[in-house]
Amino acid sequence: MSKLSEQDIEKRLLQFPDWEYYDQAIHVEFEFENFKDCFSAMSRIAFECEALNHHPNWSNVYNVLTISLSTHHVGGVSEKDFKLAEAIELIVEPED
């Protein structure tokens, strides 16, 4: 797996309008109705992280979940980060 160029990252982010690229990572923040809903989403995301063997830098304060994704061994963003971002989006904002 290799590090994506900034141009490739910006192009891929068009599919993820809530995500931003800075500091060699892609970032997003989700707000839930309450802590329970936030923690529930984190638990579901954790299973995807294990399945992909890729783990985010994340934090939770009450009903807000902040996530940063980067691939440490390539020193930036890789395809693996976008795979996890896609899985996170499906968990947090499922299609109707």
Side-chain angles (χ1 to χ4, degrees):
M1 183 127 330
S2 60
K3 180 178 172 179
L4 296 174
S5 71
E6 193 167 325
Q7 182 180 16
D8 288 337
I9 294 166
E10 294 295 341
K11 190 162 128 182
R12 293 291 313 272
L13 282 176
L14 294 174
Q15 301 169 26
F16 301 91
D18 296 329
W19 293 71
E20 297 180 301
Y21 172 68
Y22 57 90
D23 296 336
Q24 298 298 314
I26 55 175
H27 308 268
V28 71
E29 186 173 281
F30 297 106
E31 186 173 338
F32 299 85
E33 283 194 38
N34 53 51
F35 175 76
K36 179 184 72 167
D37 290 346
C38 186
F39 193 81
S40 176
M42 290 178 75
S43 295
R44 292 189 315 270
I45 292 167
F47 283 99
E48 286 297 321
C49 294
E50 282 298 303
L52 293 172
N53 193 29
H54 193 48
H55 305 91
N57 290 327
W58 62 1
S59 65
N60 160 240
V61 177
Y62 181 58
N63 67 331
V64 177
L65 172 59
T66 305
I67 301 174
S68 297
L69 300 178
S70 67
T71 304
H72 301 289
H73 71 273
V74 302
V77 177
S78 73
E79 187 62 36
K80 203 171 194 179
D81 299 300
F82 282 102
K83 278 186 160 180
L84 183 52
E86 184 175 1
I88 290 168
E89 285 289 323
L90 290 173
I91 290 167
V92 175
E93 298 178 12
E95 297 290 323
D96 291 332

